[in-house]
């Protein structure tokens, strides 16, 4: 499993700031999963399945009938994304392979949700939103590979994209919501890129001491994103 769920970096703006509170709410579930020796990889796979189910509901159910199943399935998807890394840390099952699987699972889940818009929005807009939805994570991963803290959060990160999908399912505003996902994700990627550029520039200044967080990055490969 990976080494963390990307929690070491700066949270940034958006709903991601609620993650510590959400993690505390899930602590009982995490304990029960640990006692039953559930694999973090199973939770990663379950998150992808939930995202695919939400995408199917978006594609096949009319608004507002799609709202409830989409909301429940995406809530479960986010819970799995939170629990897999925390469970890996709690049970000492953090691995590099788990880190890879976690990242691939997150991207697959993102794309599965956006794919649900294929039946209700133009193909070019769905493709644009799918590409844009993956950009913030690629920027964060590139920064982490260069030695910067892993950045997460909005203004339109994973949590906000899930919330917007629920809005679309409830309202039927398929095209406007998809446009917001595309534009907001692109803005998020640029925002993270600017922050990382500044961070990496500061760490390269001659004689500048590194913070404890920065000093840990090479040793942990920026947390390997635990699962």
């Amino acid at each position: 499993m990976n080494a963390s769920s990307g929690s070491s970096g700066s949270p940034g703006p958006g709903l991601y700031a609620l993650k510590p509170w959400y993690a505390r709410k899930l602590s009982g579930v995490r304990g029960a999963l640990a006692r039953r020796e559930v694999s973090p990889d199973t939770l990663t796979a379950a998150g992808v399945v939930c995202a695919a189910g939400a995408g199917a509901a978006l594609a096949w159910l009319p608004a507002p009938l799609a709202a409830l199943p989409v909301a429940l399935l995406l809530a479960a998807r986010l819970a799995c994304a939170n629990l897999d890394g925390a469970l890996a840390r709690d049970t000492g099952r953090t691995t590099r392979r788990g880190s890879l699987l976690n990242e691939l699972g997150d991207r697959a889940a993102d794309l599965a949700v956006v794919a649900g818009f294929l039946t209700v929005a133009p193909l070019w807009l769905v493709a644009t939103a799918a590409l844009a939805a993956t950009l913030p994570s690629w920027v964060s991963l590139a920064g982490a590979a260069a030695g910067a803290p892993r950045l997460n959060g909005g203004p339109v990160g994973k949590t906000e994209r899930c919330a917007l999908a629920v809005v679309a399912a409830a309202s039927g505003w398929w095209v406007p919501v998809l446009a917001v996902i595309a534009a907001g994700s692109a803005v998020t990627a640029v925002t993270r890129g600017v922050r990382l550029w500044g961070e990496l520039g500061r760490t390269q200044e001659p004689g500048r001491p590194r913070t404890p967080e920065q000093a840990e990055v090479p040793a942990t490969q920026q947390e390997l994103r635990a699962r």
Side-chain angles (χ1 to χ4, degrees):
M1 346 265 82
N2 23 26
S4 100
S5 211
S7 57
S8 66
S10 172
L15 297 175
Y16 189 83
L18 298 175
K19 182 176 180 178
W21 169 84
Y22 190 45
R24 289 194 298 271
K25 293 296 183 181
L26 292 174
S27 60
V29 176
R30 192 168 68 245
L33 293 171
R35 289 191 296 273
R36 288 166 174 76
E37 299 183 347
V38 175
S39 167
D41 291 343
T42 300
L43 292 176
T44 299
V48 176
V49 171
C50 288
L58 281 170
W60 297 333
L61 295 178
L65 293 180
L68 182 58
V70 169
L72 293 176
L73 286 165
L74 290 183
R77 177 265 195 274
L78 292 174
C80 289
N82 186 289
L83 287 167
D84 60 0
L87 182 63
R89 290 191 300 274
D90 288 351
T91 58
R93 289 186 284 180
T94 58
T95 68
R96 293 177 184 272
R97 287 179 175 176
S99 176
L100 174 63
L101 185 60
N102 183 72
E103 293 297 339
L104 293 176
D106 265 351
R107 303 297 77 73
D110 285 338
L111 294 176
V113 175
V114 176
F117 287 84
L118 281 169
T119 62
V120 291
L123 175 60
W124 68 268
L125 182 56
V126 176
T128 300
L131 174 61
T134 65
L135 289 178
S137 291
W138 296 135
V139 171
S140 293
L141 288 170
R150 174 74 186 251
L151 297 184
N152 294 288
V156 180
K158 174 170 59 184
T159 307
E160 289 83 6
R161 289 193 297 272
C162 288
L164 285 167
V166 175
V167 169
S171 65
W173 300 340
W174 313 110
V175 170
V177 167
L178 202 59
V180 171
I181 290 175
S185 297
V187 169
T188 301
V190 171
T191 300
R192 291 186 188 181
V194 170
R195 293 173 62 196
L196 286 167
W197 188 263
E199 176 67 27
L200 292 170
R202 287 192 295 274
T203 59
Q204 291 174 359
E205 292 177 10
R208 180 183 178 87
R210 304 184 75 195
T211 66
E213 182 182 57
Q214 292 165 347
E216 291 175 0
V217 169
T220 62
Q221 214 33 201
Q222 187 43 38
E223 307 189 4
L224 294 179
R225 276 191 51 117
R227 317 166 29 283

